[in-house]
Structures are given as C-alpha cells and as structure tokens.
Amino acid sequence: MNKQITILILFLFVACSPAVPRNDASLSFSNNKHDFGTISLKNEATFSFEFINHGKTPLVINEVKTSCGCTVPDWPKKPIKPGKKGEIKIKYDAAFPGVFHKTIEVFYNGKDSPQTLNIKGEVEYPDDLEATIK
C-alpha cells in the first residue's frame, strides 16, 4: 500500500509541476552591423535591425543594452512566433562630433543569447567649432 501511495504522490507532483520554459528560440539577424556614414551634428540617426525567429518556440527579447546613453533601442515586447520576423530599432543622437562605434546587446530566450549588434559612423564637425562649444 505504501508503494502505491508513493507512486501516486510522485505522479501528482510531476503532473502539477509548472512547465519549464524552453530556451530554443533562435534569433537570426539579416545584418548585425550598420554604418551610418556621415551624420550632421545634433541630428538623430535611426536604423532597424531586422530578424527572424528560426527556433521552435516563441522568441522573447528580455532586454536590449547599449554601450552608451546616446544610443536608444526599441524592441518588440511581445513574443515573436517561430518563422516570424521582427525588428530592433536603434536611434543614435549625434550630439558630439567625431567618429563613433557603439555596441548593442540583445538578450533573449535562446542558447546563443546575447547577440551583439554594431553601429558606427562619423558626426560632422561644424564649420565654426568655437561657436558650437559656447
């Protein structure tokens, strides 16, 4: 009798346990680098990194981190179904002149998380640099 109760308790425990989330979403970007080229000072530049979920479960992007506050990401907050596309929009604030290289890390529910995106470019120096500094 004890053996039967033990088996029943184990069965109920397994049947009532919460499902373990699967981490087999697969994030694949069409391009993971973007060169803005030359940008005018004090302008915003934007670019969208397109991706597809090649995995077997819905893709959930948990967080997108940038290497500085001048780069602002916007990403889908809802799960992306297998085989469906999405995009991560990046806005760069060209507040300072000179060459820039920035990284964006994308954290999601897949074994290859995080993935890194890169942007680069050059913000033009103004004709009258001293007037701009003042």
Side-chain angles (χ1 to χ4, degrees):
M1 185 84 170
N2 276 344
K3 188 175 184 180
Q4 291 174 338
I5 292 174
T6 303
I7 291 173
L8 178 63
I9 290 173
L10 284 174
F11 174 76
L12 290 174
F13 178 76
V14 170
C16 296
S17 296
V20 176
R22 294 176 54 192
N23 292 330
D24 59 0
S26 176
L27 181 59
S28 175
F29 287 96
S30 56
N31 187 5
N32 64 352
K33 297 178 183 177
H34 179 69
D35 185 348
F36 283 109
T38 303
I39 304 170
S40 297
L41 183 66
K42 308 249 184 208
N43 283 342
E44 286 184 348
T46 60
F47 182 75
S48 292
F49 287 97
E50 295 182 357
F51 63 85
I52 189 166
N53 177 7
H54 286 293
K56 297 175 184 174
T57 60
L59 168 71
V60 177
I61 299 176
N62 302 314
E63 187 174 7
V64 178
K65 291 184 179 181
T66 61
S67 57
C68 82
C70 59
T71 308
V72 180
D74 182 30
W75 66 93
K77 306 306 187 265
K78 294 182 179 180
I80 306 295
K81 293 180 181 180
K84 297 297 180 182
K85 295 180 181 182
E87 64 183 18
I88 296 176
K89 298 175 187 173
I90 302 298
K91 184 176 8 175
Y92 179 75
D93 183 9
F96 300 101
V99 174
F100 66 90
H101 298 272
K102 305 296 176 188
T103 58
I104 300 107
E105 286 186 300
V106 181
F107 294 86
Y108 62 98
N109 62 322
K111 64 180 179 177
D112 295 327
S113 179
Q115 284 197 30
T116 303
L117 305 172
N118 295 280
I119 60 171
K120 68 178 184 174
E122 182 173 2
V123 179
E124 292 180 316
Y125 281 90
D127 293 334
D128 189 2
L129 185 59
E130 288 184 26
T132 304
I133 294 173
K134 292 179 183 179

